[in-house]
Amino acid sequence: MRADEPLIFIVSGPGGVGKGTIVEALVRRDPRLWLSRSWTTRGQRPGERDDAYVFTTREAFEARIAAGGFLEWTDFLGNYYGTPTPDPRPGSDTVLEIEVDGARQVKALHPEATLIFVLPPSREEQARRLRGRGDPDDKVDERVRKAEEEEPVGRALADHVVVNDELERTVAEMLEIIEHHRGRAHHGAPA
Ligand code: 5GP
């Protein structure tokens, strides 16, 4: 890999673990990180930011798949989610916040990408966060089950496992991991 090639950091983990809050803090704290904005066919949640995703239709999503416009995409609980082919600002490294099937696809395409898998401090806390999001009850139960399924798969794929016990501490640990991989890439070692 060339020293100036952008690195890819994948932040994955079961739903309700706080990935979204973590990646927002990462890009605020490190201006050399560029956060990819995903496409989804899921409807916007009450109170969710307009730019949380590119909210789109199944037709538009499928047209983009056919055009080869996604680095990865998946069907997660009946909706499509996908990462458009990344186009980071020059000199920036890319951050992807995605579920484990997408993480597996990106690792297969870019084995040098760094996968940081985030775990909740407890199942109770994770379920509480999933419930606090405004999804209907049946959707919440589905997400709790899905999260249980994702955990062992993600752990097995991960380069680093981080427990999100306290946001500031978690973000600091992740910034250190990112710096570590930048140092290795610039010294020619495999990332
Ligand atoms: P949510 O509906 O809660 O926003 O997202 C559901 C799951 O999809 C989360 O685990 C989230 O990280 C993941 N996700 C968001 N964007 C993408 C994407 O572009 N690709 C994949 N594979 N997963 C995504």
Side-chain angles (χ1 to χ4, degrees), residues 4-53:
D4 61 350
E5 208 162 297
L7 304 180
I8 301 175
F9 296 99
I10 309 164
V11 178
S12 192
V17 82
K19 286 171 294 191
T21 315
I22 292 170
V23 296
E24 274 178 28
L26 288 176
V27 297
R28 234 187 357 255
R29 295 271 290 276
D30 184 338
R32 282 170 60 206
L33 292 175
W34 176 85
L35 180 61
S36 164
R37 179 139 53 114
S38 296
W39 282 33
T40 186
T41 59
R42 162 167 83 59
Q44 194 172 355
R45 295 190 180 116
E48 189 171 37
R49 284 169 45 172
D50 290 345
D51 65 355
Y53 285 98

Side-chain angles (χ1 to χ4, degrees), residues 1 7 160 177-191:
M1 176 166 54
L7 304 180
H160 302 271
I177 291 171
I178 289 167
E179 274 311 314
H180 168 77
H181 282 271
R182 283 176 172 152
R184 287 173 71 172
H186 293 139
H187 290 96

Side-chain angles (χ1 to χ4, degrees), residues 4 10 15 35 46 50 55 67 82 87 99 106 110 116 123 130 158 171:
D4 61 350
I10 309 164
L35 180 61
D50 290 345
F55 294 99
D87 185 19
E99 52 68 71
V106 177
H110 295 280
I116 306 173
R123 286 240 181 275
L130 281 165
V171 169

Side-chain angles (χ1 to χ4, degrees), residues 11-17 19-20 36-40 42-43 45 48 52-53 55 61 70 72-77 79-84 96-103 105-106 130 133 135 143 146 150:
V11 178
S12 192
V17 82
K19 286 171 294 191
S36 164
R37 179 139 53 114
S38 296
W39 282 33
T40 186
R42 162 167 83 59
R45 295 190 180 116
E48 189 171 37
Y53 285 98
F55 294 99
F61 199 105
F70 287 112
E72 62 74 36
W73 63 272
T74 199
D75 182 319
F76 184 91
L77 299 176
N79 283 302
Y80 290 137
Y81 293 80
T83 304
L96 307 178
E97 189 249 284
I98 59 181
E99 52 68 71
V100 292
D101 181 55
Q105 295 178 49
V106 177
L130 281 165
R133 276 183 180 172
D135 279 346
R143 280 172 180 266
K146 181 79 179 173
E150 285 190 290

Side-chain angles (χ1 to χ4, degrees), residues 14 28 47 65 88 120 131 151 159 166 175:
R28 234 187 357 255
I65 296 173
R131 293 200 165 86
E151 186 174 318
D159 298 293
E166 202 267 310
L175 289 171

